[in-house]
Amino acid sequence: MRLAVGILLLLAVPAAAPAPGAAFKRGTVTLIQGPVRVALEVEVADTPETRQQGLMFRTRLDEYAGMLFVFESTGRWPFWMKNTLIPLSIAFIDEQWTVVDIQDMPVAPDPATGPFALYEPARPCRYALEVNQGFFRRHGIGVGARVVYRPR
């Protein structure tokens, strides 16, 4: 049982090195909370290679930019900040495109070697949206917000 849990955890957490040449699709995400509507341009991580690379090694992220992670199934997909150089906030999103949890993820003490905290959603999710840390708070977006994704 312990081996199976370890294997599942390794599959869910991005690997240590970025995938060389991972190509990201692009799209627009609109977050809606009551009268608040905020649009972001996103890169889409929807393959094992792009999910593995994520926002690794980037030194900045525009205010209205982010990365949308798309998983094949709903689960409690944990994230970590290995080789991630900018503090992020993450919204975990369920199959109905509703935000079910938001967490802040600071840069690890040593982005290359850690230690690395795991950020796991409070409820199962199918999608996750990473943005600059504090973005959701600055723009009035919280748990319960609706998410609309439009691929480009």
Side-chain angles (χ1 to χ4, degrees):
M1 177 67 172
R2 190 178 306 165
L3 178 61
V5 170
I7 291 170
L8 286 174
L9 185 60
L10 285 174
L11 292 174
V13 176
F24 294 99
K25 296 173 186 166
R26 297 189 179 272
T28 302
V29 164
T30 303
L31 302 165
I32 304 162
Q33 183 115 42
V36 176
R37 295 177 69 89
V38 182
L40 300 153
E41 293 301 313
V42 296
E43 293 176 272
V44 180
D46 62 353
T47 66
E49 295 78 21
T50 56
R51 286 191 300 264
Q52 173 183 317
Q53 183 168 340
L55 290 170
M56 285 184 173
F57 302 108
R58 309 234 186 145
T59 56
R60 66 181 300 276
L61 184 63
D62 289 341
E63 176 68 6
Y64 292 92
M67 182 162 289
L68 179 66
F69 291 81
V70 178
F71 297 96
E72 286 80 13
S73 62
T74 296
R76 285 214 157 111
W77 303 105
F79 281 70
W80 67 353
M81 293 289 283
K82 179 151 179 82
N83 294 319
T84 306
L85 308 175
I86 51 178
L88 300 171
S89 290
I90 186 167
F92 294 101
I93 304 162
D94 69 13
E95 286 184 347
Q96 290 75 43
W97 291 94
T98 300
V99 174
V100 296
D101 192 14
I102 294 176
Q103 298 180 31
D104 287 337
M105 303 186 301
V107 174
D110 180 333
T113 62
F116 302 108
L118 288 180
Y119 302 92
E120 186 176 338
R123 292 187 23 213
C125 67
R126 177 77 186 268
Y127 313 96
L129 176 63
E130 289 182 341
V131 295
N132 285 308
Q133 192 168 92
F135 177 88
F136 301 113
R137 194 171 27 259
R138 285 191 299 279
H139 294 281
I141 300 297
V143 171
R146 289 186 312 120
V147 180
V148 177
Y149 167 63
R150 288 191 176 35
R152 233 191 289 151

Short mmCIF file of all heavy atoms in Angstrom, two decimals, residues 82-134:
data_model
loop_
_atom_site.label_atom_id
_atom_site.label_comp_id
_atom_site.label_asym_id
_atom_site.label_seq_id
_atom_site.Cartn_x
_atom_site.Cartn_y
_atom_site.Cartn_z
N LYS A 82 9.28 23.35 -7.04
CA LYS A 82 10.64 23.02 -7.48
C LYS A 82 10.99 23.86 -8.70
O LYS A 82 10.23 23.95 -9.66
CB LYS A 82 10.76 21.54 -7.81
CG LYS A 82 12.16 21.19 -8.30
CD LYS A 82 12.53 19.79 -7.97
CE LYS A 82 13.90 19.43 -8.47
NZ LYS A 82 14.95 19.86 -7.59
N ASN A 83 12.15 24.51 -8.64
CA ASN A 83 12.67 25.34 -9.73
C ASN A 83 11.72 26.46 -10.13
O ASN A 83 11.78 26.96 -11.25
CB ASN A 83 13.06 24.49 -10.93
CG ASN A 83 14.22 23.58 -10.63
OD1 ASN A 83 15.16 23.97 -9.96
ND2 ASN A 83 14.14 22.34 -11.08
N THR A 84 10.83 26.85 -9.24
CA THR A 84 9.91 27.95 -9.50
C THR A 84 10.44 29.17 -8.76
O THR A 84 10.64 29.13 -7.55
CB THR A 84 8.48 27.59 -9.06
OG1 THR A 84 8.12 26.35 -9.71
CG2 THR A 84 7.50 28.67 -9.45
N LEU A 85 10.68 30.24 -9.49
CA LEU A 85 11.42 31.39 -8.97
C LEU A 85 10.54 32.57 -8.60
O LEU A 85 11.06 33.59 -8.13
CB LEU A 85 12.45 31.82 -10.02
CG LEU A 85 13.37 30.69 -10.53
CD1 LEU A 85 14.28 31.21 -11.63
CD2 LEU A 85 14.15 30.07 -9.39
N ILE A 86 9.24 32.46 -8.81
CA ILE A 86 8.31 33.54 -8.46
C ILE A 86 7.23 33.00 -7.54
O ILE A 86 6.77 31.88 -7.72
CB ILE A 86 7.69 34.19 -9.72
CG1 ILE A 86 7.10 33.14 -10.66
CG2 ILE A 86 8.69 35.06 -10.46
CD1 ILE A 86 6.44 33.69 -11.90
N PRO A 87 6.82 33.77 -6.52
CA PRO A 87 5.74 33.31 -5.64
C PRO A 87 4.42 33.27 -6.40
O PRO A 87 4.12 34.18 -7.18
CB PRO A 87 5.73 34.33 -4.51
CG PRO A 87 6.41 35.54 -5.06
CD PRO A 87 7.33 35.08 -6.14
N LEU A 88 3.66 32.23 -6.18
CA LEU A 88 2.41 32.02 -6.92
C LEU A 88 1.23 31.83 -5.98
O LEU A 88 1.39 31.45 -4.82
CB LEU A 88 2.54 30.78 -7.81
CG LEU A 88 3.64 30.79 -8.86
CD1 LEU A 88 3.78 29.42 -9.50
CD2 LEU A 88 3.38 31.86 -9.91
N SER A 89 0.05 32.04 -6.52
CA SER A 89 -1.20 31.60 -5.90
C SER A 89 -1.81 30.59 -6.86
O SER A 89 -1.66 30.71 -8.08
CB SER A 89 -2.18 32.77 -5.69
OG SER A 89 -1.71 33.64 -4.69
N ILE A 90 -2.48 29.60 -6.29
CA ILE A 90 -3.09 28.56 -7.11
C ILE A 90 -4.56 28.43 -6.73
O ILE A 90 -4.90 28.39 -5.55
CB ILE A 90 -2.34 27.22 -6.96
CG1 ILE A 90 -2.89 26.17 -7.92
CG2 ILE A 90 -2.35 26.74 -5.51
CD1 ILE A 90 -2.00 24.94 -8.05
N ALA A 91 -5.40 28.39 -7.76
CA ALA A 91 -6.82 28.09 -7.57
C ALA A 91 -7.05 26.68 -8.07
O ALA A 91 -6.70 26.36 -9.21
CB ALA A 91 -7.68 29.08 -8.35
N PHE A 92 -7.61 25.85 -7.21
CA PHE A 92 -7.99 24.50 -7.61
C PHE A 92 -9.45 24.56 -8.06
O PHE A 92 -10.29 25.15 -7.38
CB PHE A 92 -7.82 23.54 -6.44
CG PHE A 92 -6.37 23.36 -6.04
CD1 PHE A 92 -5.84 24.02 -4.95
CD2 PHE A 92 -5.54 22.51 -6.78
CE1 PHE A 92 -4.52 23.85 -4.57
CE2 PHE A 92 -4.21 22.33 -6.42
CZ PHE A 92 -3.70 23.00 -5.31
N ILE A 93 -9.74 23.94 -9.20
CA ILE A 93 -11.02 24.09 -9.88
C ILE A 93 -11.62 22.72 -10.15
O ILE A 93 -10.94 21.82 -10.65
CB ILE A 93 -10.80 24.86 -11.21
CG1 ILE A 93 -10.12 26.21 -10.94
CG2 ILE A 93 -12.10 25.02 -11.97
CD1 ILE A 93 -9.47 26.84 -12.15
N ASP A 94 -12.92 22.56 -9.84
CA ASP A 94 -13.56 21.25 -10.01
C ASP A 94 -14.06 21.05 -11.44
O ASP A 94 -13.88 21.92 -12.31
CB ASP A 94 -14.66 21.03 -8.97
CG ASP A 94 -15.87 21.92 -9.14
OD1 ASP A 94 -16.04 22.57 -10.20
OD2 ASP A 94 -16.69 21.96 -8.20
N GLU A 95 -14.69 19.91 -11.69
CA GLU A 95 -15.19 19.57 -13.03
C GLU A 95 -16.25 20.53 -13.55
O GLU A 95 -16.46 20.64 -14.75
CB GLU A 95 -15.75 18.14 -13.04
CG GLU A 95 -14.69 17.09 -12.99
CD GLU A 95 -15.26 15.68 -13.10
OE1 GLU A 95 -16.49 15.50 -12.96
OE2 GLU A 95 -14.45 14.77 -13.31
N GLN A 96 -16.94 21.21 -12.66
CA GLN A 96 -17.97 22.19 -13.06
C GLN A 96 -17.37 23.58 -13.27
O GLN A 96 -18.10 24.54 -13.41
CB GLN A 96 -19.09 22.25 -12.02
CG GLN A 96 -19.98 21.02 -11.97
CD GLN A 96 -19.30 19.84 -11.29
OE1 GLN A 96 -18.64 19.99 -10.26
NE2 GLN A 96 -19.45 18.66 -11.88
N TRP A 97 -16.06 23.68 -13.25
CA TRP A 97 -15.34 24.95 -13.43
C TRP A 97 -15.67 25.94 -12.32
O TRP A 97 -15.91 27.11 -12.55
CB TRP A 97 -15.61 25.54 -14.82
CG TRP A 97 -14.99 24.74 -15.92
CD1 TRP A 97 -15.61 23.76 -16.65
CD2 TRP A 97 -13.64 24.82 -16.40
NE1 TRP A 97 -14.72 23.23 -17.56
CE2 TRP A 97 -13.50 23.87 -17.43
CE3 TRP A 97 -12.54 25.60 -16.06
CZ2 TRP A 97 -12.30 23.69 -18.12
CZ3 TRP A 97 -11.35 25.43 -16.75
CH2 TRP A 97 -11.25 24.48 -17.77
N THR A 98 -15.67 25.43 -11.09
CA THR A 98 -15.87 26.27 -9.90
C THR A 98 -14.61 26.18 -9.04
O THR A 98 -14.09 25.08 -8.81
CB THR A 98 -17.09 25.78 -9.09
OG1 THR A 98 -18.26 25.85 -9.93
CG2 THR A 98 -17.32 26.63 -7.85
N VAL A 99 -14.13 27.32 -8.55
CA VAL A 99 -12.97 27.35 -7.67
C VAL A 99 -13.36 26.72 -6.33
O VAL A 99 -14.31 27.16 -5.69
CB VAL A 99 -12.46 28.79 -7.46
CG1 VAL A 99 -11.34 28.83 -6.42
CG2 VAL A 99 -11.99 29.40 -8.79
N VAL A 100 -12.61 25.67 -5.94
CA VAL A 100 -12.91 24.97 -4.68
C VAL A 100 -11.86 25.25 -3.60
O VAL A 100 -12.09 24.94 -2.42
CB VAL A 100 -13.05 23.44 -4.90
CG1 VAL A 100 -14.24 23.15 -5.80
CG2 VAL A 100 -11.78 22.82 -5.43
N ASP A 101 -10.73 25.83 -3.97
CA ASP A 101 -9.69 26.13 -2.99
C ASP A 101 -8.70 27.09 -3.63
O ASP A 101 -8.47 27.02 -4.85
CB ASP A 101 -8.97 24.84 -2.56
CG ASP A 101 -8.08 25.00 -1.34
OD1 ASP A 101 -8.19 26.02 -0.64
OD2 ASP A 101 -7.26 24.09 -1.09
N ILE A 102 -8.12 27.97 -2.81
CA ILE A 102 -7.05 28.87 -3.25
C ILE A 102 -5.96 28.82 -2.20
O ILE A 102 -6.24 28.89 -1.00
CB ILE A 102 -7.56 30.32 -3.42
CG1 ILE A 102 -8.58 30.40 -4.56
CG2 ILE A 102 -6.39 31.28 -3.67
CD1 ILE A 102 -9.21 31.77 -4.73
N GLN A 103 -4.72 28.70 -2.65
CA GLN A 103 -3.58 28.68 -1.74
C GLN A 103 -2.45 29.53 -2.29
O GLN A 103 -2.28 29.63 -3.51
CB GLN A 103 -3.08 27.24 -1.55
CG GLN A 103 -4.10 26.32 -0.92
CD GLN A 103 -3.57 24.91 -0.75
OE1 GLN A 103 -2.38 24.69 -0.54
NE2 GLN A 103 -4.48 23.94 -0.84
N ASP A 104 -1.67 30.13 -1.38
CA ASP A 104 -0.46 30.83 -1.76
C ASP A 104 0.70 29.87 -1.69
O ASP A 104 0.78 29.03 -0.77
CB ASP A 104 -0.20 32.02 -0.82
CG ASP A 104 -1.17 33.18 -1.08
OD1 ASP A 104 -1.72 33.27 -2.19
OD2 ASP A 104 -1.36 33.98 -0.17
N MET A 105 1.62 29.98 -2.65
CA MET A 105 2.78 29.10 -2.72
C MET A 105 4.04 29.96 -2.80
O MET A 105 4.38 30.46 -3.88
CB MET A 105 2.67 28.17 -3.94
CG MET A 105 1.41 27.33 -3.95
SD MET A 105 1.35 26.08 -5.29
CE MET A 105 1.50 27.08 -6.76
N PRO A 106 4.74 30.15 -1.69
CA PRO A 106 5.97 30.94 -1.72
C PRO A 106 7.10 30.17 -2.42
O PRO A 106 7.05 28.95 -2.53
CB PRO A 106 6.29 31.17 -0.25
CG PRO A 106 5.63 30.05 0.47
CD PRO A 106 4.41 29.69 -0.34
N VAL A 107 8.11 30.90 -2.87
CA VAL A 107 9.29 30.28 -3.44
C VAL A 107 9.96 29.45 -2.35
O VAL A 107 10.05 29.87 -1.19
CB VAL A 107 10.26 31.37 -3.99
CG1 VAL A 107 11.56 30.76 -4.47
CG2 VAL A 107 9.58 32.15 -5.12
N ALA A 108 10.43 28.26 -2.71
CA ALA A 108 11.10 27.38 -1.75
C ALA A 108 12.41 28.01 -1.28
O ALA A 108 13.01 28.81 -2.01
CB ALA A 108 11.39 26.03 -2.42
N PRO A 109 12.86 27.66 -0.06
CA PRO A 109 14.12 28.21 0.45
C PRO A 109 15.27 28.06 -0.55
O PRO A 109 16.07 28.96 -0.73
CB PRO A 109 14.38 27.39 1.72
CG PRO A 109 13.02 26.96 2.16
CD PRO A 109 12.23 26.76 0.90
N ASP A 110 15.35 26.93 -1.21
CA ASP A 110 16.29 26.73 -2.31
C ASP A 110 15.47 26.10 -3.44
O ASP A 110 15.12 24.92 -3.36
CB ASP A 110 17.44 25.81 -1.89
CG ASP A 110 18.43 25.58 -3.03
OD1 ASP A 110 18.05 25.66 -4.22
OD2 ASP A 110 19.61 25.31 -2.73
N PRO A 111 15.14 26.89 -4.48
CA PRO A 111 14.26 26.37 -5.53
C PRO A 111 14.76 25.10 -6.24
O PRO A 111 13.98 24.36 -6.79
CB PRO A 111 14.15 27.53 -6.51
CG PRO A 111 14.42 28.75 -5.69
CD PRO A 111 15.45 28.31 -4.68
N ALA A 112 16.07 24.86 -6.18
CA ALA A 112 16.61 23.68 -6.85
C ALA A 112 16.56 22.44 -5.96
O ALA A 112 16.30 21.34 -6.45
CB ALA A 112 18.04 23.95 -7.30
N THR A 113 16.81 22.62 -4.65
CA THR A 113 16.93 21.44 -3.80
C THR A 113 15.94 21.40 -2.64
O THR A 113 15.88 20.41 -1.93
CB THR A 113 18.35 21.35 -3.21
OG1 THR A 113 18.59 22.50 -2.40
CG2 THR A 113 19.40 21.25 -4.30
N GLY A 114 15.17 22.48 -2.43
CA GLY A 114 14.15 22.47 -1.40
C GLY A 114 14.65 22.87 -0.05
O GLY A 114 15.67 23.53 0.05
N PRO A 115 13.92 22.52 0.96
CA PRO A 115 12.79 21.59 1.00
C PRO A 115 11.55 22.16 0.29
O PRO A 115 11.41 23.36 0.15
CB PRO A 115 12.52 21.41 2.49
CG PRO A 115 13.01 22.67 3.12
CD PRO A 115 14.16 23.12 2.27
N PHE A 116 10.69 21.26 -0.15
CA PHE A 116 9.50 21.63 -0.90
C PHE A 116 8.23 21.24 -0.16
O PHE A 116 8.03 20.06 0.14
CB PHE A 116 9.48 20.96 -2.28
CG PHE A 116 10.69 21.30 -3.11
CD1 PHE A 116 11.66 20.35 -3.35
CD2 PHE A 116 10.85 22.56 -3.64
CE1 PHE A 116 12.78 20.65 -4.09
CE2 PHE A 116 11.96 22.87 -4.39
CZ PHE A 116 12.94 21.92 -4.62
N ALA A 117 7.40 22.21 0.09
CA ALA A 117 6.06 21.95 0.62
C ALA A 117 5.19 21.41 -0.51
O ALA A 117 5.41 21.75 -1.68
CB ALA A 117 5.46 23.22 1.19
N LEU A 118 4.21 20.59 -0.17
CA LEU A 118 3.22 20.14 -1.15
C LEU A 118 1.95 20.93 -0.92
O LEU A 118 1.51 21.11 0.21
CB LEU A 118 2.94 18.65 -1.01
CG LEU A 118 4.04 17.71 -1.47
CD1 LEU A 118 3.61 16.26 -1.28
CD2 LEU A 118 4.43 17.96 -2.92
N TYR A 119 1.34 21.40 -2.00
CA TYR A 119 0.10 22.16 -1.96
C TYR A 119 -0.98 21.30 -2.59
O TYR A 119 -0.99 21.09 -3.80
CB TYR A 119 0.28 23.50 -2.68
CG TYR A 119 1.39 24.31 -2.06
CD1 TYR A 119 2.69 24.21 -2.54
CD2 TYR A 119 1.13 25.11 -0.95
CE1 TYR A 119 3.72 24.93 -1.94
CE2 TYR A 119 2.15 25.83 -0.35
CZ TYR A 119 3.44 25.73 -0.84
OH TYR A 119 4.45 26.43 -0.23
N GLU A 120 -1.86 20.80 -1.75
CA GLU A 120 -2.91 19.87 -2.18
C GLU A 120 -4.27 20.53 -1.95
O GLU A 120 -4.48 21.16 -0.91
CB GLU A 120 -2.80 18.58 -1.38
CG GLU A 120 -3.74 17.51 -1.85
CD GLU A 120 -3.54 16.20 -1.10
OE1 GLU A 120 -2.46 15.97 -0.54
OE2 GLU A 120 -4.50 15.41 -1.07
N PRO A 121 -5.19 20.38 -2.90
CA PRO A 121 -6.50 21.03 -2.74
C PRO A 121 -7.31 20.44 -1.59
O PRO A 121 -7.17 19.26 -1.26
CB PRO A 121 -7.19 20.77 -4.08
CG PRO A 121 -6.54 19.54 -4.61
CD PRO A 121 -5.11 19.59 -4.13
N ALA A 122 -8.16 21.27 -1.02
CA ALA A 122 -9.06 20.83 0.06
C ALA A 122 -10.09 19.84 -0.46
O ALA A 122 -10.57 18.98 0.28
CB ALA A 122 -9.76 22.04 0.68
N ARG A 123 -10.44 19.97 -1.75
CA ARG A 123 -11.41 19.07 -2.39
C ARG A 123 -10.83 18.61 -3.72
O ARG A 123 -9.98 19.29 -4.29
CB ARG A 123 -12.73 19.81 -2.62
CG ARG A 123 -13.43 20.13 -1.31
CD ARG A 123 -14.82 20.71 -1.46
NE ARG A 123 -15.51 20.43 -2.69
CZ ARG A 123 -16.35 21.28 -3.28
NH1 ARG A 123 -16.60 22.45 -2.73
NH2 ARG A 123 -16.96 20.96 -4.38
N PRO A 124 -11.31 17.50 -4.25
CA PRO A 124 -10.82 17.05 -5.55
C PRO A 124 -11.02 18.11 -6.62
O PRO A 124 -11.99 18.88 -6.59
CB PRO A 124 -11.67 15.80 -5.83
CG PRO A 124 -12.07 15.31 -4.48
CD PRO A 124 -12.27 16.55 -3.66
N CYS A 125 -10.09 18.13 -7.57
CA CYS A 125 -10.16 19.11 -8.66
C CYS A 125 -9.81 18.44 -9.98
O CYS A 125 -9.25 17.35 -10.02
CB CYS A 125 -9.23 20.29 -8.37
SG CYS A 125 -7.49 19.84 -8.40
N ARG A 126 -10.15 19.11 -11.05
CA ARG A 126 -9.82 18.64 -12.40
C ARG A 126 -8.86 19.61 -13.08
O ARG A 126 -8.15 19.25 -14.01
CB ARG A 126 -11.13 18.53 -13.20
CG ARG A 126 -10.98 18.12 -14.64
CD ARG A 126 -10.73 16.61 -14.78
NE ARG A 126 -10.46 16.21 -16.13
CZ ARG A 126 -11.38 15.81 -17.00
NH1 ARG A 126 -12.64 15.74 -16.65
NH2 ARG A 126 -11.02 15.45 -18.20
N TYR A 127 -8.85 20.86 -12.58
CA TYR A 127 -8.04 21.93 -13.16
C TYR A 127 -7.36 22.70 -12.03
O TYR A 127 -7.83 22.69 -10.89
CB TYR A 127 -8.91 22.90 -13.96
CG TYR A 127 -9.88 22.22 -14.89
CD1 TYR A 127 -11.19 21.97 -14.51
CD2 TYR A 127 -9.46 21.78 -16.14
CE1 TYR A 127 -12.08 21.32 -15.36
CE2 TYR A 127 -10.34 21.13 -17.00
CZ TYR A 127 -11.65 20.90 -16.61
OH TYR A 127 -12.51 20.25 -17.45
N ALA A 128 -6.29 23.41 -12.38
CA ALA A 128 -5.64 24.31 -11.43
C ALA A 128 -5.14 25.51 -12.22
O ALA A 128 -4.70 25.37 -13.36
CB ALA A 128 -4.50 23.61 -10.71
N LEU A 129 -5.21 26.67 -11.61
CA LEU A 129 -4.78 27.91 -12.25
C LEU A 129 -3.73 28.58 -11.37
O LEU A 129 -4.02 28.94 -10.24
CB LEU A 129 -5.98 28.84 -12.46
CG LEU A 129 -5.67 30.22 -13.04
CD1 LEU A 129 -5.08 30.11 -14.45
CD2 LEU A 129 -6.94 31.08 -13.03
N GLU A 130 -2.51 28.73 -11.90
CA GLU A 130 -1.44 29.42 -11.19
C GLU A 130 -1.30 30.84 -11.73
O GLU A 130 -1.30 31.05 -12.95
CB GLU A 130 -0.10 28.70 -11.36
CG GLU A 130 -0.01 27.39 -10.63
CD GLU A 130 1.34 26.72 -10.77
OE1 GLU A 130 2.09 27.05 -11.72
OE2 GLU A 130 1.63 25.85 -9.95
N VAL A 131 -1.18 31.79 -10.81
CA VAL A 131 -1.02 33.20 -11.13
C VAL A 131 -0.03 33.80 -10.12
O VAL A 131 0.39 33.13 -9.18
CB VAL A 131 -2.37 33.96 -11.06
CG1 VAL A 131 -3.34 33.47 -12.13
CG2 VAL A 131 -3.01 33.82 -9.68
N ASN A 132 0.31 35.08 -10.31
CA ASN A 132 1.16 35.76 -9.33
C ASN A 132 0.51 35.70 -7.96
O ASN A 132 -0.71 35.83 -7.83
CB ASN A 132 1.37 37.22 -9.72
CG ASN A 132 2.33 37.37 -10.87
OD1 ASN A 132 3.44 36.84 -10.84
ND2 ASN A 132 1.91 38.08 -11.90
N GLN A 133 1.36 35.54 -6.93
CA GLN A 133 0.83 35.45 -5.57
C GLN A 133 0.03 36.71 -5.21
O GLN A 133 0.45 37.82 -5.49
CB GLN A 133 1.96 35.27 -4.56
CG GLN A 133 1.44 34.89 -3.20
CD GLN A 133 2.57 34.44 -2.31
OE1 GLN A 133 3.13 35.24 -1.59
NE2 GLN A 133 2.90 33.16 -2.38
N GLY A 134 -1.16 36.51 -4.67
CA GLY A 134 -2.04 37.60 -4.26
C GLY A 134 -3.00 38.06 -5.34
O GLY A 134 -3.88 38.88 -5.09
#
